[in-house]
């Protein structure tokens, strides 16, 4: 006897595609896609500014900073580099703390962006996106969980809108902060060393 398949049933693509052509379903899906696009746009603009943090903290030109940025192929590695350089290069602890807070805000947006861009989307028979399934492992006290599902409801959409606003505000704060970082590094170009009591 043939063992039962472990695969989920094949979606009824014809029915889903026909339903998706309905004006209401098309508008609803368009709203989701627009929000994901706006979040990705805002997040990417913020990540690109890490090049200037690297440039200032390493005391190199933009081209060298771009090489470092591109060689570190995850945003987590880029953020870690910025935070570690700040701890070594900055004598102003308040400024170093501000960098940490800015990077924490960026991390919040990164988590949501990754949650949406690295997910499988569930579509109902009417063509509406109903859930996302995370395509990553989550370690829990009772073991591992894979593919946690989250509803794509009005509350989730509002959370995405809120994070877009937060990413846009962060972009302005990063641009405001960079000249202050540059001024501080020029005032103390060598930074602090471990021998001088630096962390």
């Amino acid at each position: 006897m043939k063992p039962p398949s472990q695969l989920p049933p094949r979606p009824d693509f014809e029915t889903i595609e026909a339903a998706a052509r309905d004006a209401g379903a098309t508008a609803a899906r368009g709203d989701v896609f627009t929000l994901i696009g706006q979040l990705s746009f805002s997040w990417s603009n913020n990540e690109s500014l890490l090049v200037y943090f690297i440039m200032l903290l390493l005391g190199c030109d933009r081209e060298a900073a771009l090489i470092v940025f591109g060689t570190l192929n995850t945003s987590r590695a880029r953020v870690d580099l910025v935070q570690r350089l700040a701890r070594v290069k900055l004598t102003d602890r308040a400024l170093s703390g501000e960098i940490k807070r800015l990077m924490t805000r960026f991390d919040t947006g990164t988590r949501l962006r990754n949650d949406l861009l690295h997910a499988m989307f569930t579509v109902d028979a009417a063509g509406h996106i109903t859930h996302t399934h995370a395509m990553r492992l989550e370690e829990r006290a009772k073991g591992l969980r894979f593919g946690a599902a989250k509803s794509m409801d009005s509350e989730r959409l509002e959370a995405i809108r809120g994070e877009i606003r937060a990413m846009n505000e962060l972009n302005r704060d990063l641009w405001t902060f960079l000249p202050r970082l540059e001024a501080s590094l020029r005032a103390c170009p060598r930074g602090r060393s471990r021998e001088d009591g630096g962390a």
Side-chain angles (χ1 to χ4, degrees), residues 138-173:
E138 294 181 8
E139 293 191 29
R140 301 274 175 150
K142 295 182 179 179
L144 295 176
R145 184 174 74 169
F146 180 77
K150 294 182 181 178
S151 296
M152 189 61 81
D153 52 17
S154 59
E155 184 178 339
R156 184 118 181 262
L157 294 177
E158 188 52 43
I160 297 170
R161 291 186 188 97
E163 192 54 47
I164 291 167
R165 291 190 292 270
M167 285 287 100
N168 290 341
E169 183 179 337
L170 175 60
N171 189 261
R172 286 152 180 75
D173 291 344

Side-chain angles (χ1 to χ4, degrees), residues 43 75 105-115 167:
W43 179 89
S75 59
R105 289 167 61 190
F106 177 71
D107 283 342
T108 300
T110 299
R111 283 192 296 275
L112 180 56
R113 176 237 182 217
N114 290 345
D115 192 39
M167 285 287 100

Side-chain angles (χ1 to χ4, degrees), residues 120-136:
M120 179 175 68
F121 291 78
T122 298
V123 180
D124 66 14
H128 295 99
I129 297 170
T130 62
H131 293 80
T132 60
H133 295 263
M135 301 305 291
R136 69 176 185 275

